[in-house]
């Protein structure tokens, strides 16, 4: 095991000022039905909203980079292809840098680097091992080599030093920081058999603390029901500021999510953060009606051998917790549900200084994730 420590470095909270955001243009036929047309339109909405207050980098393969340039140029300034990606003149809000880099899919939160920083403002990209959420045990597709190489390649492209964390398996969506030494994770994910089976819970926690400047890890029992990432924390709970958390919730005791969320709430109510504060937990209700795969959706997928397939009626892991905090806004998923407006109201109250961007998210959810899953923060 490549154990390492990064003295003086910490993982910032997502609500802190940051330089920009990384996304990957969707293309994979087994994730994005009907040639990813609807998904790309949804990604455009996300990218445009983020670019209002920070720079955006978009990775795209040779088969889709021209499409990305054409679609994005309609709403944002796309940095010229021959521009130096490390030139500060091309790294401000309102613009997007397209980088020609091949990946296996479009989950930037999970395959991109986790960027840590120190008090002097130095930044470092941690390149975790990525194995498609479970490798040979329960991974979602059989080949993930391009995804695993993306963190280091992107970091190099924008001038970030890289810390190689292989073979420690971790995805960005499985950790959430308050920026002050507290980390949220789920036992269901980090202790799953397909990630680091030779490490104990204590050893995993020790490595997280050494790498991320973490002083305390909060181990929620569960995430969201039927979340194929083994229940990533970013779909279930998130810090809105130090000491305050939003938690995915339902009052419907017949919904299997109720038992998951209740176990998480019971745990959080007994815990404190790294600074000794009792946690304030805000309940963020999931959609009142489960979001499911429809028969007509299945017609658009093309699955490769060994890839996880969709089924009609399959419950998708819809959650409003999967929002992205940009410098100026909250990109909040919407599902055409009666609880959409309630989510907008709560996030407006929790982030009065930011603009709420309600984003129709079903076309992203059909790919297996949500708004937070397709974004990766690059701290200032």
């Amino acid at each position: 095991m490549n154990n390492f420590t990064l003295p003086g470095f910490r993982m910032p909270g997502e609500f802190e000022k940051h330089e920009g955001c990384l996304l990957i243009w969707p293309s994979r036929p087994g994730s994005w039905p009907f040639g990813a047309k609807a998904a790309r339109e949804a990604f455009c909405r996300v990218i445009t909203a983020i670019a209002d207050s920070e720079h955006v980098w978009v990775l795209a393969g040779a088969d889709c980079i021209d499409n990305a340039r054409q679609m994005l140029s309609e709403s944002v300034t796309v940095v010229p292809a021959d521009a130096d990606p490390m030139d500060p003149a091309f790294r401000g809000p309102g613009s997007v840098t397209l980088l020609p880099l091949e990946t296996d899919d479009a989950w930037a939160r999970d395959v991109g680097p986790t960027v840590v920083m120190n008090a002097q403002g130095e930044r470092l990209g941690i390149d975790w091992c990525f194995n498609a959420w479970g490798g040979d045990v329960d991974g979602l597709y059989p080949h993930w080599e391009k995804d695993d190489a993306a963190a280091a390649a992107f970091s190099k492209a924008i001038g970030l030093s890289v810390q190689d964390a292989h073979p420690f398996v971790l995805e960005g969506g499985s950790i959430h920081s308050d920026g002050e030494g507290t980390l949220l994770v789920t036992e269901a994910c980090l202790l799953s058999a397909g990630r680091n089976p030779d490490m104990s819970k204590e050893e995993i926690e020790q490595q997280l603390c050494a790498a991320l400047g973490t002083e305390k890890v909060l181990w929620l029992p569960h995430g969201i029901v039927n979340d194929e990432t083994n229940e990533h924390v970013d779909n279930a709970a998130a810090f809105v500021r130090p000491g305050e958390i939003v938690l995915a919730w339902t009052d419907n005791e017949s919904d299997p999510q109720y038992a998951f969320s209740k176990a998480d709430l019971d745990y959080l109510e007994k815990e404190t953060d790294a600074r000794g504060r009792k946690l304030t937990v805000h309940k963020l209700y999931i959609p009142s009606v489960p979001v499911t795969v429809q028969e007509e959706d299945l017609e658009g997928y093309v699955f490769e051998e060994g890839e996880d397939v969709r089924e009609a009626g399959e419950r998708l892991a819809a959650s409003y917790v999967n929002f992205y905090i940009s410098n100026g806004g909250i990109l909040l998923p919407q599902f055409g549900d009666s609880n959409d407006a309630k989510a907008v109201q709560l996030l407006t109250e929790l982030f009065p200084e930011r603009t709420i961007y309600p984003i129709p998210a079903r076309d992203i959810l059909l790919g297996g994730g949500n708004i937070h899953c397709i974004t990766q923060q690059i701290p200032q």
Side-chain angles (χ1 to χ4, degrees), residues 158 161 181 215 232 310 349:
I158 68 168
S161 298
E215 299 167 31
H232 270 183
R310 298 261 179 242
E349 295 170 358

Side-chain angles (χ1 to χ4, degrees), residues 101-105 111 130 143-151 153:
L101 201 156
E102 301 284 343
T103 58
D104 296 294
D105 207 344
V111 307
F130 177 79
H143 305 290
W144 54 81
E145 295 83 6
K146 295 175 183 176
D147 278 349
D148 189 35

Side-chain angles (χ1 to χ4, degrees), residues 2-4 168 199 203-212:
N2 181 23
N3 293 313
F4 63 95
F168 188 80
M199 297 181 71
E203 289 171 332
I204 292 171
E205 179 169 320
Q206 183 180 26
Q207 180 60 93
L208 293 175
C209 290
L212 303 174

Side-chain angles (χ1 to χ4, degrees), residues 2-149:
N2 181 23
N3 293 313
F4 63 95
T5 61
L6 299 174
F9 282 85
R10 69 178 180 94
M11 181 181 177
E14 191 168 299
F15 41 79
E16 296 182 47
K17 180 82 172 178
H18 44 284
E19 179 181 5
C21 183
L22 168 67
L23 292 93
I24 303 172
W25 200 244
S27 180
R28 188 180 183 89
S31 293
W32 311 103
F34 301 104
K37 182 178 184 298
R40 290 173 179 178
E41 292 172 353
F43 272 57
C44 277
R45 288 191 289 269
V46 170
I47 291 167
T48 300
I50 295 174
D52 279 350
S53 58
E54 62 193 68
H55 191 67
V56 182
W57 289 271
V58 178
L59 309 184
D63 64 332
C64 62
I65 193 167
D66 289 339
N67 171 262
R69 182 175 292 107
Q70 177 184 4
M71 292 186 67
L72 290 170
S73 295
E74 296 176 5
S75 56
V76 294
T77 300
V78 178
V79 173
D82 59 351
D84 182 354
M86 288 186 277
D87 188 336
F90 298 109
R91 291 172 69 152
S95 61
V96 172
T97 298
L98 277 175
L99 295 175
L101 201 156
E102 301 284 343
T103 58
D104 296 294
D105 207 344
W107 306 111
R109 175 68 54 169
D110 291 345
V111 307
T114 298
V115 182
V116 294
M117 59 191 302
N118 63 17
Q120 290 72 47
E122 297 174 311
R123 298 181 299 176
L124 186 65
I126 301 177
D127 175 19
W128 311 105
C129 179
F130 177 79
N131 69 354
W133 309 278
D136 295 333
V137 175
D138 57 357
L140 299 183
Y141 40 79
H143 305 290
W144 54 81
E145 295 83 6
K146 295 175 183 176
D147 278 349
D148 189 35

Side-chain angles (χ1 to χ4, degrees), residues 174-311:
S174 69
I175 52 177
H176 197 83
S177 171
D178 74 343
E180 294 187 354
T182 311
L183 197 71
L184 279 172
V185 303
T186 68
E187 293 182 343
C189 177
L190 266 62
L191 302 184
S192 64
R195 285 177 171 80
N196 300 292
D198 296 330
M199 297 181 71
S200 67
K201 179 179 179 179
E202 291 71 26
E203 289 171 332
I204 292 171
E205 179 169 320
Q206 183 180 26
Q207 180 60 93
L208 293 175
C209 290
L212 303 174
T214 299
E215 299 167 31
K216 185 168 185 177
V217 179
L218 298 176
W219 291 84
L220 301 181
H222 294 291
I224 293 293
V225 167
N226 216 37
D227 187 339
E228 55 199 358
T229 64
N230 301 108
E231 303 171 32
H232 270 183
V233 74
D234 71 344
N235 221 14
F239 286 105
V240 297
R241 59 187 57 84
E244 287 191 52
I245 292 171
V246 288
L247 175 68
W249 187 262
T250 177
D251 291 328
N252 181 3
E253 296 186 16
S254 66
D255 188 319
Q257 184 60 45
Y258 179 83
F260 278 24
S261 295
K262 182 64 164 59
D264 290 343
L265 180 62
D266 290 346
Y267 172 81
L268 289 170
E269 288 183 335
K270 298 174 184 177
E271 285 291 339
T272 59
D273 65 12
R275 301 288 179 91
R277 291 173 293 220
K278 291 291 293 183
L279 299 165
T280 298
V281 180
H282 304 277
K283 295 176 180 178
L284 185 51
Y285 284 77
I286 63 172
S288 60
V289 178
V291 182
T292 61
V293 177
Q294 303 299 306
E295 193 70 48
E296 55 267 27
D297 298 323
L298 295 178
E299 299 172 5
Y301 291 104
V302 180
F303 301 106
E304 70 169 277
E305 184 177 353
E307 185 173 8
D308 190 59
V309 301
R310 298 261 179 242
E311 298 178 358

